[in-house]
Amino acid sequence: MGPQGRAACSLLFLLQALAEPAENSEFFLPGDYLLGGLFTLHANVKGIVHLNYLKVPKCKEYEMKVLGYNLMQAMRFAVEEINNDSSLLPDVLLGYEMVDSCYMSNNVQPALYFLSQDDYFLPIQEDYSHYVPRVVAIIGPDNSESTKTVANFLSLFLLPQITYSAINDELGNKGRFPAVLRTVPGADHQTEAIVQMLLHFRWNWIVVLASGDDYGRENSHLLSQRLAHGDICIAFQETLPTPQPNQTMTPQDQERLEAIVGKLQQSTARVVVVFSPELALHNFFREVLRQNLTGAVWIASESWAIDPVLHNLTELQRAGTFLGITTQNVPIPGFSEFRVRRSQVGRPALNRSSQCNQECDTCLNTTESFNSILTLSGERVVYSVYSSVYAVAHALHSLLGCNQSGCRRDVVYPWQLLLEIRKVNFTLLGHQIFFNEQGDLSLHLEIIQWQWDLSQNPFRSVASYQPSKRQLKHIHDISWNTPNNTIPVSMCSRSCQPGQKKKPVGLHPCCFECIDCLPGTFLNQTLDEFDCQPCPSSEWSHRKDTSCFKRQLAFLEWDEAPTIVVVMLASLGFLSTLAIVIIFWRHVRTPVVRSAGGPMCFLMLAPLLMAYTAVPVYVGPPTVWSCIFRQAFFTLCFTICISCITVRSFQIVCVFKMARRLPRAYGCWGRYHGPYVFVACVVMLKLVIVASSVLATTTMPTTRVDPDDPRIMILSCNPNYHRGLLVNTSLDLLLSLLGFGFAYTGKELPTNYNEAKFITFCMTFYFSSSVFLCTFMAVYNGVLVTILDLLVTVLNLLGISLGYFGPKCYMILFYPERNTPAYFNSVIQGYTMRKD
């Protein structure tokens, strides 16, 4: 025989040896089709594997795992209930063989035993599609590590394996584990339920404790990933030491536990999430009680959330509030009585030296002592085992073509049954049973609270989680182990008040300082709670605001006192100017009117009247047309008036001082209507300047912040309007200087023609007020600019109306004897005689 043949024979001998009947088979029921069951009945038994048998002591010598025994009884109950039902599998008897997996140490040998045939022989074949193992399906084991170990063997044969509490998400990978199905939601849903509970109670500062096995590492890593970019921070994470099989602790492990509990005592985090099998928690919680750690919130993973042995440590209620994640409670009628019923079923004797105690009286007695708490706590994981057995039964019903008359007695191949199990869809105790694409059954999860009142459910449901919607809801009142039953606070930093941004302190985003948002900024927590956002230009905010408000638009309004005063002055000016027009019109041929300019007086008075009537364009919100009107119309009216005054001053000087010296020039001046030509030229030049200014600068109204009050937005003409106003005013200032010069030159003229003091007053006031207005505009941008601009405009109009025309009206009305040609001639003769 060659090396390859010898190797094959050696492997065959090993597989056959491992497939020998299990010494620790607890229950056996013969039947047409057998189900294999893997349950943890002895949590601290260490199996010693030999080549031909597994040596396991009697269960009475070791501590029993009550939940494991409870789940094994659930499988027995489901099988007996199906066998007693004539409609599901008529004339077909389901059998079972259940093995104690001893937590994790005894998984491979039972798996090979279940895969073997009746002769305990597991042949090596190229094609196993027509291979019939000892059992048609396996229920269990209860933890992810053991499930993956067993699945690596069963998946080669496509032997259906339905686990009732293994939550590792890798088991949903059908490429790696094609034969694995689960009647419990995966670890992702457990993590999501925990996170949503933390968010609901606003716990953002937590501690994570995990066991050193795959279960602890994988689930803590999954939670850390889920919280990586969230609002919950992990203060610290520790690994709990795994005890020896007999629950003894080494000195190093004891020191480690003391350090972990001491760290919990010093931490500000009061919420502790624990991912660990219950095996590693007994010594830990004894240390918690020894150091008197109180006031914490303990969140249990599904592995120990409803463990009755841990709950039996009644002193734990001093440690704080215990919450846990577990499957929903589905009452199973008759199971509580069956659990403590002493079975009469025995296994046929086998040809071997020893066999396990079939009816473990000590195990049953232990279960009876916990029966009350098991009954009150409800059938949670029990229903997962119960529904697993029924899923296999319904698949057999379909595969064997069962009807009311009976079922076919066909050979059932594992791969055929696996396909049928994936397709089952039935109702069991009011719940729909079907498997999704990942092979998972979508049962609800529940948040439970531990209670120690003997008259109440020890694991009271306080919330439910729907895996299909990934939503935690129906959160009931929780009895907190705190003064006044207040919700415990677990935050690195207290929540900031509205309108306060967070300034990170240290490495954790949950640790921060709260800083008020300054005026003009606000905090939008949905966008960024670590930085205040600036308000839009048209809005403002107070300190610590969470939103901005519209700035108040400010412009010159009719009901304001300055507006009323200016409008009254404008009305006075308009009426007085209108009266001057009437007076001058009635006395148009008198010497006073003719000496004031004659027809040119009306050329001055008409723009004055129009300027007065246009004052309302300064009041109300500015528009494009009102800004153009301010920039063009008023300055044009002023230019006409000032050019007329200037040319009138020049003409008087020419008559008395230049006519004799330049008679020809004076003749041309009079012949070609020099005054009107001068005014027309000035007006044309002004039109060019105004048009250029309007085209060069936008006239669109703008808003800008009031420098005195940022809550106010000033609505005014474009700031470039001020520059245009300076350009337009420059010509008027030049004309006012010329008029002032000519008036000063003619200060010695006859009294009736001496207008120096009146023109000087008008021009000086106009010049000084214009310079003051331009200076004020350059240094201030408030709404006061509009008020002052309007006031200066009205006062200048009044200065021309009353300062220039007022004295002449006074002479016409009160000194008519001086308004005669004879009087004017006598004055001129007197001036001529003094000159001679």
Side-chain angles (χ1 to χ4, degrees):
M1 181 181 295
Q4 294 181 348
R6 287 194 297 272
C9 288
S10 299
L11 177 63
L12 179 63
F13 173 75
L14 175 62
L15 295 179
Q16 182 177 359
L18 290 176
E20 286 293 326
E23 292 286 350
N24 60 332
S25 297
E26 298 294 343
F27 284 95
F28 173 78
L29 177 69
D32 299 314
Y33 302 98
L34 287 181
L35 296 180
L38 283 171
F39 299 94
T40 301
L41 303 181
H42 304 94
N44 52 354
V45 172
K46 184 177 181 180
I48 306 174
V49 180
H50 297 271
L51 285 178
N52 56 354
Y53 70 98
L54 185 69
K55 183 178 180 181
V56 177
K58 302 288 185 178
C59 60
K60 64 181 179 180
E61 300 175 8
Y62 290 85
E63 179 183 345
M64 191 199 74
K65 185 176 179 182
V66 177
L67 279 182
Y69 187 82
N70 190 46
L71 299 179
M72 185 192 69
Q73 292 287 69
M75 180 174 173
R76 294 184 58 216
F77 177 77
V79 171
E80 293 190 16
E81 194 174 68
I82 293 170
N83 288 337
N84 293 330
D85 184 2
S86 60
S87 61
L88 186 56
L89 292 175
D91 297 330
V92 172
L93 183 65
L94 274 184
Y96 54 76
E97 185 162 7
M98 303 181 192
V99 176
D100 180 9
S101 63
C102 300
Y103 186 54
M104 288 186 294
S105 60
N106 183 35
N107 291 305
V108 176
Q109 198 265 353
L112 296 176
Y113 171 68
F114 288 144
L115 285 171
S116 67
Q117 296 179 331
D118 291 337
D119 55 0
Y120 314 121
F121 186 76
L122 181 59
I124 298 178
Q125 299 179 1
E126 182 179 358
D127 182 9
Y128 286 97
S129 59
H130 291 85
Y131 178 76
V132 181
R134 177 181 302 275
V135 296
V136 295
I138 292 180
I139 310 299
D142 61 348
N143 61 80
S144 299
E145 194 168 346
S146 299
T147 299
K148 287 189 288 185
T149 300
V150 174
N152 287 324
F153 291 94
L154 303 185
S155 294
L156 297 176
F157 298 83
L158 295 181
L159 180 64
Q161 176 188 3
I162 305 178
T163 176
Y164 45 84
S165 61
I167 65 172
N168 189 287
D169 288 332
E170 289 184 15
L171 296 172
N173 183 353
K174 296 300 109 179
R176 182 179 174 187
F177 303 108
V180 175
L181 301 104
R182 296 187 293 186
T183 53
V184 61
D188 175 61
H189 293 294
Q190 174 185 242
T191 302
E192 184 64 26
I194 291 176
V195 171
Q196 291 191 25
M197 178 170 58
L198 295 174
L199 292 173
H200 175 78
F201 293 110
R202 304 181 68 181
W203 294 327
N204 64 0
W205 190 233
I206 66 172
V207 175
V208 177
L209 301 181
S211 57
D213 56 5
D214 288 348
Y215 177 85
R217 288 191 298 269
E218 291 168 358
N219 284 278
S220 61
H221 178 67
L222 188 62
L223 179 63
S224 299
Q225 283 186 320
R226 174 64 176 81
L227 302 180
H229 304 288
D231 299 327
I232 302 174
C233 301
I234 299 176
F236 64 89
Q237 183 171 330
E238 293 289 346
T239 301
L240 296 174
T242 303
Q244 300 297 319
N246 57 1
Q247 287 290 322
T248 59
M249 295 286 293
T250 64
Q252 294 80 5
D253 289 343
Q254 183 62 36
E255 291 179 1
R256 181 67 180 156
L257 278 182
E258 292 176 1
I260 292 174
V261 177
K263 197 172 181 179
L264 287 173
Q265 290 272 30
Q266 299 299 322
S267 176
T268 57
R270 306 314 299 158
V271 174
V272 185
V273 181
V274 184
F275 294 107
S276 173
E278 79 288 348
L279 181 65
L281 297 179
H282 294 274
N283 292 324
F284 169 73
F285 279 114
R286 290 190 183 98
E287 182 63 26
V288 167
L289 294 175
R290 190 186 71 81
Q291 294 194 27
N292 196 27
L293 174 60
T294 60
V297 176
W298 304 90
I299 298 180
S301 62
E302 48 77 34
S303 59
W304 65 281
I306 56 172
D307 186 75
V309 179
L310 277 176
H311 183 275
N312 200 38
L313 295 174
T314 55
E315 292 181 348
L316 280 180
Q317 55 189 313
R318 294 191 291 107
T321 305
F322 283 77
L323 303 175
I325 310 294
T326 184
T327 53
Q328 69 181 124
N329 176 27
V330 181
I332 302 176
F335 176 67
S336 295
E337 296 78 11
F338 179 87
R339 178 170 46 226
V340 293
R341 191 184 73 188
R342 298 187 179 274
S343 174
Q344 302 301 321
V345 178
R347 177 176 177 161
L350 296 172
N351 295 325
R352 54 190 181 190
S353 57
S354 64
Q355 66 181 35
C356 181
N357 179 17
Q358 288 296 308
E359 193 61 40
C360 180
D361 294 335
T362 304
C363 301
L364 186 58
N365 293 337
T366 304
T367 303
E368 288 177 343
S369 66
F370 282 96
N371 186 55
S372 177
I373 187 174
L374 290 173
T375 302
L376 288 174
S377 64
E379 319 303 347
R380 298 184 183 277
V381 185
V382 167
Y383 181 76
S384 297
V385 177
Y386 184 77
S387 59
S388 300
V389 177
Y390 265 90
V392 176
H394 277 268
L396 285 172
H397 177 90
S398 176
L399 187 61
L400 299 178
C402 298
N403 51 36
Q404 293 181 352
S405 59
C407 304
R408 298 192 306 268
R409 298 299 180 96
D410 296 343
V411 176
V412 175
Y413 297 110
W415 60 271
Q416 292 178 321
L417 183 61
L418 178 62
L419 292 176
E420 292 299 328
I421 293 177
R422 287 186 171 277
K423 294 188 291 185
V424 296
N425 193 336
F426 60 95
T427 302
L428 183 64
L429 299 180
H431 294 269
Q432 200 69 20
I433 305 298
F434 65 94
F435 297 97
N436 58 22
E437 294 180 356
Q438 287 74 37
D440 295 338
L441 182 62
S442 183
L443 283 177
H444 291 187
L445 294 175
E446 287 184 349
I447 308 294
I448 55 95
Q449 180 186 10
W450 285 19
Q451 298 183 121
W452 282 271
D453 189 342
L454 297 179
S455 63
Q456 295 179 346
N457 183 351
F459 307 113
R460 183 172 66 95
S461 175
V462 294
S464 64
Y465 172 84
Q466 292 181 311
S468 58
K469 297 181 179 179
R470 299 182 68 86
Q471 179 182 2
L472 184 69
K473 63 178 185 178
H474 304 312
I475 300 179
H476 309 300
D477 293 334
I478 297 177
S479 300
W480 303 105
N481 191 6
T482 56
N484 301 322
N485 196 33
T486 57
I487 298 176
V489 177
S490 186
M491 297 180 180
C492 181
S493 301
R494 293 281 183 174
S495 299
C496 292
Q497 297 178 4
Q500 289 184 326
K501 69 177 181 179
K502 297 178 179 178
K503 180 183 178 181
V505 176
L507 300 177
H508 296 287
C510 300
C511 302
F512 49 82
E513 294 178 357
C514 297
I515 300 177
D516 295 347
C517 286
L518 298 177
T521 63
F522 71 102
L523 186 68
N524 187 345
Q525 291 185 340
T526 59
L527 292 179
D528 185 6
E529 58 184 5
F530 292 93
D531 196 12
C532 299
Q533 293 80 42
C535 292
S537 58
S538 61
E539 298 180 356
W540 188 250
S541 66
H542 299 296
R543 194 179 189 89
K544 291 178 61 176
D545 267 356
T546 57
S547 61
C548 299
F549 55 86
K550 290 288 184 181
R551 296 182 197 254
Q552 179 184 352
L553 289 178
F555 47 84
L556 199 57
E557 299 188 55
W558 287 103
D559 57 351
E560 294 180 356
T563 306
I564 296 174
V565 172
V566 174
V567 169
M568 292 177 63
L569 291 175
S571 301
L572 175 62
F574 177 80
L575 295 175
S576 61
T577 304
L578 184 61
I580 291 171
V581 171
I582 295 173
I583 293 171
F584 271 47
W585 181 261
R586 294 187 60 183
H587 302 83
V588 68
R589 297 187 180 278
T590 60
V592 172
V593 176
R594 295 179 64 185
S595 66
M600 188 171 287
C601 294
F602 297 101
L603 182 61
M604 296 170 60
L605 292 170
L608 287 176
L609 285 174
M610 288 188 291
Y612 282 123
T613 57
V615 166
V617 298
Y618 277 88
V619 185
T623 62
V624 174
W625 289 107
S626 65
C627 290
I628 294 176
F629 210 77
R630 297 182 193 180
Q631 189 170 341
F633 182 75
F634 282 99
T635 57
L636 189 60
C637 292
F638 270 108
T639 301
I640 295 174
C641 295
I642 295 175
S643 61
C644 291
I645 293 175
T646 302
V647 76
R648 181 58 185 162
S649 302
F650 173 74
Q651 190 171 359
I652 293 174
V653 173
C654 287
V655 170
F656 287 95
K657 293 192 175 185
M658 297 180 63
R660 290 180 298 176
R661 300 175 185 176
L662 300 170
R664 294 181 62 183
Y666 180 74
C668 292
W669 174 264
R671 189 182 314 116
Y672 295 105
H673 306 286
Y676 296 101
V677 172
F678 176 80
V679 172
C681 292
V682 171
V683 171
M684 292 299 296
L685 179 60
K686 186 54 175 268
L687 288 174
V688 172
I689 294 174
V690 169
S692 301
S693 177
V694 171
L695 294 176
T697 60
T698 177
T699 56
M700 184 66 65
T702 59
T703 55
R704 60 185 183 277
V705 179
D706 190 334
D708 297 328
D709 189 352
R711 297 173 301 176
I712 297 176
M713 183 73 73
I714 299 173
L715 180 62
S716 63
C717 294
N718 193 282
N720 292 329
Y721 152 75
H722 299 152
R723 300 190 185 97
L725 186 62
L726 292 174
V727 175
N728 297 341
T729 308
S730 60
L731 180 60
D732 299 337
L733 293 175
L734 178 61
L735 290 175
S736 66
L737 287 175
L738 289 175
F740 173 76
F742 290 135
Y744 184 78
T745 304
K747 65 181 183 298
E748 297 179 355
L749 295 179
T751 305
N752 291 351
Y753 293 89
N754 187 355
E755 299 176 348
K757 54 185 177 182
F758 305 121
I759 295 176
T760 299
F761 168 77
C762 296
M763 297 300 100
T764 302
F765 181 78
Y766 175 72
F767 182 82
S768 58
S769 62
S770 298
V771 171
F772 171 75
L773 179 61
C774 294
T775 305
F776 189 79
M777 287 181 174
V779 298
Y780 186 76
N781 293 321
V783 72
L784 190 59
V785 170
T786 304
I787 300 173
L788 193 61
D789 187 11
L790 178 59
L791 179 61
V792 168
T793 300
V794 172
L795 291 178
N796 283 325
L797 294 174
L798 287 172
I800 296 175
S801 299
L802 302 180
Y804 182 76
F805 293 102
K808 295 172 175 51
C809 292
Y810 179 76
M811 184 176 291
I812 292 173
L813 295 176
F814 297 100
Y815 297 96
E817 66 278 3
R818 299 180 183 179
N819 190 18
T820 60
Y823 179 77
F824 270 72
N825 288 334
S826 64
V827 173
I828 294 173
Q829 290 177 2
Y831 172 78
T832 304
M833 291 174 63
R834 287 195 304 271
K835 284 293 182 181
D836 294 338

